Amino acid sequence: MSNPLARARYKLAAHNPGQLPPDAGFEVAFAGRSNAGKSTALNALCNQNALARVSKTPGRTQQLVFFDTGAPDTPADAPRHLVDLPGYGYAKVPKDLQAHWQAFIDGYFRTRNALRGLVVVMDIRHPLKDYDLQMLGYAASRGLPAHGLLTKADKLGRGAQMQTVAAVKRELATRFGDAVSVQAFSGESKVGLDEARAVVSGWLEL
């Protein structure tokens, strides 16, 4: 099966609202706590090794980073973007920078018309932390669909994967109804890769 995300390439990084690209086309945003595997997931979804930088340093992504999927047959005024959101709330990040990101992302979620869905990347061994729920809350408040990607599934056995996914689904259903889907995923062993690509590609109408 061909990968509609394989053409993705870096477009720009925005540190404030004035640097955002025009609010046109479709966007899918990716959020995740430090070292949850967000960059690895983006790289795997796009079948590229270094599209998103993989870092051991918490809070490395300090802008909204836009990737153009380069989808053929899409008009220039209706691009399809993947958006890598900064993870914030870490001890190593200054409080004023945390506050800046908070305001920036809050505004992005409230006003961005191109935004079609949110993928929240969570380590399957440590899901549904406060940050994860906050990001899912942003999507819910806008009525946007969200998808939980429980990464590093290769660290657990098949039975433990299924148990965790079921538990997370129950918790999300209690909080958000049917607005959030969830799956096990591994960028290393490719668990759940086709399912995740299908969700993202569907939101982008690729």
Side-chain angles (χ1 to χ4, degrees), residues 4 12 18 31 36-37 41 86 101-102 109 113 119 122 136 158 164 168 170 179 187:
L12 61 84
W101 288 344
Q102 180 92 32
F109 270 94
N113 293 320
V119 177
M122 300 173 272
L136 292 167
R158 177 72 176 154
T164 302
V168 170
R170 286 193 298 270

PDB file of all heavy atoms in Angstrom, residues 4 12 18 31 36-37 41 86 101-102 109 113 119 122 136 158 164 168 170 179 187:
ATOM      1  N   PRO A   4       0.645   7.899   1.531  1.00  0.00           N
ATOM      2  CA  PRO A   4       0.371   9.267   1.089  1.00  0.00           C
ATOM      3  C   PRO A   4       1.141  10.325   1.865  1.00  0.00           C
ATOM      4  O   PRO A   4       1.133  11.497   1.483  1.00  0.00           O
ATOM      5  CB  PRO A   4      -1.137   9.412   1.324  1.00  0.00           C
ATOM      6  CG  PRO A   4      -1.452   8.425   2.400  1.00  0.00           C
ATOM      7  CD  PRO A   4      -0.523   7.271   2.182  1.00  0.00           C
ATOM      8  N   LEU A  12       8.280  25.101   7.601  1.00  0.00           N
ATOM      9  CA  LEU A  12       8.677  26.253   8.410  1.00  0.00           C
ATOM     10  C   LEU A  12       8.462  25.940   9.879  1.00  0.00           C
ATOM     11  O   LEU A  12       7.778  24.979  10.239  1.00  0.00           O
ATOM     12  CB  LEU A  12       7.884  27.508   8.014  1.00  0.00           C
ATOM     13  CG  LEU A  12       6.358  27.497   8.157  1.00  0.00           C
ATOM     14  CD1 LEU A  12       5.887  27.838   9.576  1.00  0.00           C
ATOM     15  CD2 LEU A  12       5.735  28.503   7.187  1.00  0.00           C
ATOM     16  N   GLY A  18       2.391  35.333  14.260  1.00  0.00           N
ATOM     17  CA  GLY A  18       2.708  36.026  13.030  1.00  0.00           C
ATOM     18  C   GLY A  18       3.546  35.214  12.063  1.00  0.00           C
ATOM     19  O   GLY A  18       3.643  35.560  10.879  1.00  0.00           O
ATOM     20  N   ALA A  31       0.904  16.166  19.217  1.00  0.00           N
ATOM     21  CA  ALA A  31       1.342  16.616  20.533  1.00  0.00           C
ATOM     22  C   ALA A  31       1.864  15.422  21.317  1.00  0.00           C
ATOM     23  O   ALA A  31       1.428  14.289  21.108  1.00  0.00           O
ATOM     24  CB  ALA A  31       0.182  17.272  21.294  1.00  0.00           C
ATOM     25  N   ALA A  36       8.051  10.899  24.612  1.00  0.00           N
ATOM     26  CA  ALA A  36       6.939   9.967  24.407  1.00  0.00           C
ATOM     27  C   ALA A  36       7.074   9.243  23.071  1.00  0.00           C
ATOM     28  O   ALA A  36       6.372   8.265  22.824  1.00  0.00           O
ATOM     29  CB  ALA A  36       5.603  10.706  24.466  1.00  0.00           C
ATOM     30  N   GLY A  37       7.965   9.752  22.209  1.00  0.00           N
ATOM     31  CA  GLY A  37       8.179   9.106  20.920  1.00  0.00           C
ATOM     32  C   GLY A  37       7.498   9.824  19.770  1.00  0.00           C
ATOM     33  O   GLY A  37       7.261   9.223  18.723  1.00  0.00           O
ATOM     34  N   ALA A  41       7.457   8.693  15.886  1.00  0.00           N
ATOM     35  CA  ALA A  41       6.166   8.376  15.274  1.00  0.00           C
ATOM     36  C   ALA A  41       5.986   9.139  13.963  1.00  0.00           C
ATOM     37  O   ALA A  41       5.568   8.561  12.949  1.00  0.00           O
ATOM     38  CB  ALA A  41       5.031   8.702  16.238  1.00  0.00           C
ATOM     39  N   PRO A  86       5.063  21.948  20.174  1.00  0.00           N
ATOM     40  CA  PRO A  86       6.074  21.869  21.237  1.00  0.00           C
ATOM     41  C   PRO A  86       5.508  21.199  22.474  1.00  0.00           C
ATOM     42  O   PRO A  86       4.385  21.471  22.891  1.00  0.00           O
ATOM     43  CB  PRO A  86       6.411  23.340  21.513  1.00  0.00           C
ATOM     44  CG  PRO A  86       5.196  24.092  21.102  1.00  0.00           C
ATOM     45  CD  PRO A  86       4.615  23.331  19.939  1.00  0.00           C
ATOM     46  N   TRP A 101       4.397  29.373  25.199  1.00  0.00           N
ATOM     47  CA  TRP A 101       3.886  28.239  24.441  1.00  0.00           C
ATOM     48  C   TRP A 101       2.422  27.994  24.752  1.00  0.00           C
ATOM     49  O   TRP A 101       1.622  27.721  23.868  1.00  0.00           O
ATOM     50  CB  TRP A 101       4.694  26.986  24.773  1.00  0.00           C
ATOM     51  CG  TRP A 101       6.062  26.977  24.203  1.00  0.00           C
ATOM     52  CD1 TRP A 101       6.566  27.781  23.202  1.00  0.00           C
ATOM     53  CD2 TRP A 101       7.125  26.115  24.579  1.00  0.00           C
ATOM     54  NE1 TRP A 101       7.868  27.458  22.962  1.00  0.00           N
ATOM     55  CE2 TRP A 101       8.246  26.454  23.783  1.00  0.00           C
ATOM     56  CE3 TRP A 101       7.260  25.102  25.517  1.00  0.00           C
ATOM     57  CZ2 TRP A 101       9.466  25.792  23.898  1.00  0.00           C
ATOM     58  CZ3 TRP A 101       8.464  24.433  25.633  1.00  0.00           C
ATOM     59  CH2 TRP A 101       9.557  24.787  24.834  1.00  0.00           C
ATOM     60  N   GLN A 102       2.090  28.085  26.052  1.00  0.00           N
ATOM     61  CA  GLN A 102       0.712  27.842  26.482  1.00  0.00           C
ATOM     62  C   GLN A 102      -0.241  28.782  25.742  1.00  0.00           C
ATOM     63  O   GLN A 102      -1.255  28.370  25.182  1.00  0.00           O
ATOM     64  CB  GLN A 102       0.596  28.066  27.989  1.00  0.00           C
ATOM     65  CG  GLN A 102      -0.803  27.839  28.551  1.00  0.00           C
ATOM     66  CD  GLN A 102      -1.016  26.439  29.042  1.00  0.00           C
ATOM     67  OE1 GLN A 102      -0.086  25.797  29.515  1.00  0.00           O
ATOM     68  NE2 GLN A 102      -2.237  25.962  28.937  1.00  0.00           N
ATOM     69  N   PHE A 109      -5.271  26.497  18.783  1.00  0.00           N
ATOM     70  CA  PHE A 109      -6.397  25.566  18.833  1.00  0.00           C
ATOM     71  C   PHE A 109      -7.744  26.279  18.754  1.00  0.00           C
ATOM     72  O   PHE A 109      -8.693  25.773  18.166  1.00  0.00           O
ATOM     73  CB  PHE A 109      -6.332  24.701  20.102  1.00  0.00           C
ATOM     74  CG  PHE A 109      -5.570  23.428  19.910  1.00  0.00           C
ATOM     75  CD1 PHE A 109      -4.226  23.357  20.213  1.00  0.00           C
ATOM     76  CD2 PHE A 109      -6.182  22.304  19.394  1.00  0.00           C
ATOM     77  CE1 PHE A 109      -3.505  22.190  20.013  1.00  0.00           C
ATOM     78  CE2 PHE A 109      -5.474  21.136  19.181  1.00  0.00           C
ATOM     79  CZ  PHE A 109      -4.143  21.078  19.497  1.00  0.00           C
ATOM     80  N   ASN A 113      -8.604  27.495  11.563  1.00  0.00           N
ATOM     81  CA  ASN A 113      -9.657  26.846  10.789  1.00  0.00           C
ATOM     82  C   ASN A 113      -9.156  25.621  10.031  1.00  0.00           C
ATOM     83  O   ASN A 113      -9.925  24.703   9.763  1.00  0.00           O
ATOM     84  CB  ASN A 113     -10.276  27.842   9.804  1.00  0.00           C
ATOM     85  CG  ASN A 113     -11.043  28.944  10.501  1.00  0.00           C
ATOM     86  OD1 ASN A 113     -11.737  28.698  11.484  1.00  0.00           O
ATOM     87  ND2 ASN A 113     -10.920  30.163  10.005  1.00  0.00           N
ATOM     88  N   VAL A 119      -3.371  14.364  16.975  1.00  0.00           N
ATOM     89  CA  VAL A 119      -2.803  13.092  17.425  1.00  0.00           C
ATOM     90  C   VAL A 119      -2.019  13.366  18.707  1.00  0.00           C
ATOM     91  O   VAL A 119      -1.118  14.210  18.719  1.00  0.00           O
ATOM     92  CB  VAL A 119      -1.866  12.487  16.363  1.00  0.00           C
ATOM     93  CG1 VAL A 119      -1.220  11.201  16.894  1.00  0.00           C
ATOM     94  CG2 VAL A 119      -2.620  12.206  15.068  1.00  0.00           C
ATOM     95  N   MET A 122       1.529   9.202  23.313  1.00  0.00           N
ATOM     96  CA  MET A 122       1.761   8.862  24.718  1.00  0.00           C
ATOM     97  C   MET A 122       2.548   7.561  24.813  1.00  0.00           C
ATOM     98  O   MET A 122       2.256   6.610  24.078  1.00  0.00           O
ATOM     99  CB  MET A 122       0.414   8.692  25.450  1.00  0.00           C
ATOM    100  CG  MET A 122      -0.466   9.918  25.452  1.00  0.00           C
ATOM    101  SD  MET A 122      -2.125   9.597  26.153  1.00  0.00           S
ATOM    102  CE  MET A 122      -3.027   9.065  24.684  1.00  0.00           C
ATOM    103  N   LEU A 136      -5.938  16.889  24.731  1.00  0.00           N
ATOM    104  CA  LEU A 136      -7.199  16.291  24.290  1.00  0.00           C
ATOM    105  C   LEU A 136      -8.373  17.216  24.604  1.00  0.00           C
ATOM    106  O   LEU A 136      -9.338  17.292  23.841  1.00  0.00           O
ATOM    107  CB  LEU A 136      -7.391  14.924  24.949  1.00  0.00           C
ATOM    108  CG  LEU A 136      -6.419  13.842  24.485  1.00  0.00           C
ATOM    109  CD1 LEU A 136      -6.473  12.639  25.416  1.00  0.00           C
ATOM    110  CD2 LEU A 136      -6.724  13.417  23.046  1.00  0.00           C
ATOM    111  N   ARG A 158       1.991  -8.634  23.944  1.00  0.00           N
ATOM    112  CA  ARG A 158       0.722  -8.422  23.250  1.00  0.00           C
ATOM    113  C   ARG A 158      -0.447  -8.276  24.230  1.00  0.00           C
ATOM    114  O   ARG A 158      -1.307  -7.405  24.072  1.00  0.00           O
ATOM    115  CB  ARG A 158       0.485  -9.590  22.297  1.00  0.00           C
ATOM    116  CG  ARG A 158      -0.817  -9.561  21.550  1.00  0.00           C
ATOM    117  CD  ARG A 158      -0.817  -8.498  20.482  1.00  0.00           C
ATOM    118  NE  ARG A 158      -2.054  -8.540  19.706  1.00  0.00           N
ATOM    119  CZ  ARG A 158      -2.565  -7.499  19.079  1.00  0.00           C
ATOM    120  NH1 ARG A 158      -1.954  -6.335  19.134  1.00  0.00           N
ATOM    121  NH2 ARG A 158      -3.681  -7.593  18.389  1.00  0.00           N
ATOM    122  N   THR A 164      -3.811  -2.319  28.163  1.00  0.00           N
ATOM    123  CA  THR A 164      -3.594  -0.881  28.306  1.00  0.00           C
ATOM    124  C   THR A 164      -4.484  -0.101  27.355  1.00  0.00           C
ATOM    125  O   THR A 164      -5.097   0.905  27.737  1.00  0.00           O
ATOM    126  CB  THR A 164      -2.118  -0.524  28.062  1.00  0.00           C
ATOM    127  OG1 THR A 164      -1.304  -1.254  28.986  1.00  0.00           O
ATOM    128  CG2 THR A 164      -1.882   0.969  28.257  1.00  0.00           C
ATOM    129  N   VAL A 168      -7.259   2.635  28.523  1.00  0.00           N
ATOM    130  CA  VAL A 168      -7.209   4.022  28.047  1.00  0.00           C
ATOM    131  C   VAL A 168      -8.498   4.370  27.312  1.00  0.00           C
ATOM    132  O   VAL A 168      -9.049   5.469  27.479  1.00  0.00           O
ATOM    133  CB  VAL A 168      -5.970   4.241  27.152  1.00  0.00           C
ATOM    134  CG1 VAL A 168      -6.031   5.590  26.451  1.00  0.00           C
ATOM    135  CG2 VAL A 168      -4.693   4.141  27.981  1.00  0.00           C
ATOM    136  N   ARG A 170     -11.468   3.193  27.875  1.00  0.00           N
ATOM    137  CA  ARG A 170     -12.529   3.394  28.867  1.00  0.00           C
ATOM    138  C   ARG A 170     -12.415   4.778  29.497  1.00  0.00           C
ATOM    139  O   ARG A 170     -13.420   5.486  29.667  1.00  0.00           O
ATOM    140  CB  ARG A 170     -12.459   2.307  29.945  1.00  0.00           C
ATOM    141  CG  ARG A 170     -12.938   0.944  29.480  1.00  0.00           C
ATOM    142  CD  ARG A 170     -13.154   0.007  30.657  1.00  0.00           C
ATOM    143  NE  ARG A 170     -11.933  -0.251  31.400  1.00  0.00           N
ATOM    144  CZ  ARG A 170     -11.095  -1.252  31.124  1.00  0.00           C
ATOM    145  NH1 ARG A 170     -11.339  -2.065  30.096  1.00  0.00           N
ATOM    146  NH2 ARG A 170     -10.005  -1.444  31.850  1.00  0.00           N
ATOM    147  N   ALA A 179     -15.219  10.998  21.020  1.00  0.00           N
ATOM    148  CA  ALA A 179     -14.450  11.959  20.222  1.00  0.00           C
ATOM    149  C   ALA A 179     -12.988  11.548  20.049  1.00  0.00           C
ATOM    150  O   ALA A 179     -12.297  12.093  19.195  1.00  0.00           O
ATOM    151  CB  ALA A 179     -14.518  13.341  20.852  1.00  0.00           C
ATOM    152  N   GLY A 187       6.943   2.849  16.453  1.00  0.00           N
ATOM    153  CA  GLY A 187       7.722   3.279  15.296  1.00  0.00           C
ATOM    154  C   GLY A 187       8.871   2.326  15.012  1.00  0.00           C
ATOM    155  O   GLY A 187       9.370   2.263  13.882  1.00  0.00           O
TER     156      GLY A 187
END
